[in-house]
């Protein structure tokens, strides 16, 4: 009986692994797609008060991964002219919403880099 139960447990565990592996979404993140993501909602970043008072401008290039639903699931600074702008830039793009990118007619995850410009004169 002990041997039988162990075999049932192993078979059940293998079945669960097979089911969960087929249920996982494709983890591929594309950089080349047929249709690029289209911004739908892009709230601007918060301009740091000290930088605004001092008249400091800058640009932050933020690398983002957009999922199949058009949500930003990862955002990191790729390049920046001033580290004071980094956190506000990342916080802003994490709230952005897109029409998803498409490859072969299907919505896919995509990685893109977007520049955020902080201009003191505005």
């Amino acid at each position: 009986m002990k041997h039988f139960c162990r075999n049932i447990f192993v078979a059940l565990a293998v079945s669960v692994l097979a089911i969960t592996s087929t249920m996982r979404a494709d983890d591929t993140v594309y950089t080349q797609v047929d249709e690029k993501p289209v911004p739908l909602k892009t709230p601007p970043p918060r301009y740091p008060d000290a930088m605004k008072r001092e008249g400091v401008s800058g640009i932050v290039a933020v690398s983002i991964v957009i999922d199949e639903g058009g949500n930003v699931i990862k955002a990191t600074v790729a390049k920046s002219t001033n580290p004071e702008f980094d956190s506000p830039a990342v916080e802003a793009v994490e709230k952005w919403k897109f029409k998803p990118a498409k490859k072969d007619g299907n919505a896919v995850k995509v990685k893109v880099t977007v520049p955020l410009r902080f201009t003191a004169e505005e």
Side-chain angles (χ1 to χ4, degrees):
M1 182 69 169
K2 200 185 251 187
H3 182 68
F4 175 76
C5 289
R6 184 176 53 199
N7 286 343
I8 294 272
F9 176 75
V10 169
L12 183 60
V14 169
S15 296
V16 169
L17 285 174
I19 291 168
T20 56
S21 67
T22 59
M23 289 174 50
R24 286 189 194 140
D26 184 5
D27 288 336
T28 303
V29 178
Y30 293 89
T31 54
Q32 300 290 319
V33 292
D34 301 330
E35 294 179 39
K36 294 180 180 180
V38 177
L40 299 174
K41 184 177 101 174
T42 57
R46 175 190 53 78
Y47 207 115
D49 292 335
M51 298 290 104
K52 189 109 173 156
R53 275 194 308 275
E54 295 172 19
V56 177
S57 296
I59 298 175
V60 180
V62 182
S63 177
I64 60 175
V65 176
I66 303 163
D67 70 9
E68 300 89 342
N71 301 300
V72 175
I73 58 171
K74 184 175 182 182
T76 56
V77 174
K79 197 177 233 185
S80 176
T81 59
N82 188 317
E84 293 294 319
F85 296 124
D86 294 0
S87 184
V90 169
E91 288 170 7
V93 297
E94 286 176 337
K95 297 174 186 163
W96 288 12
K97 180 74 175 167
F98 292 83
K99 177 181 173 191
K102 290 192 177 180
K103 180 136 180 100
D104 300 325
N106 298 310
V108 294
K109 289 181 190 165
V110 66
K111 183 176 184 178
V112 297
T113 300
V114 294
L116 280 84
R117 194 173 299 274
F118 292 81
T119 305
E121 295 84 44
E122 293 179 356

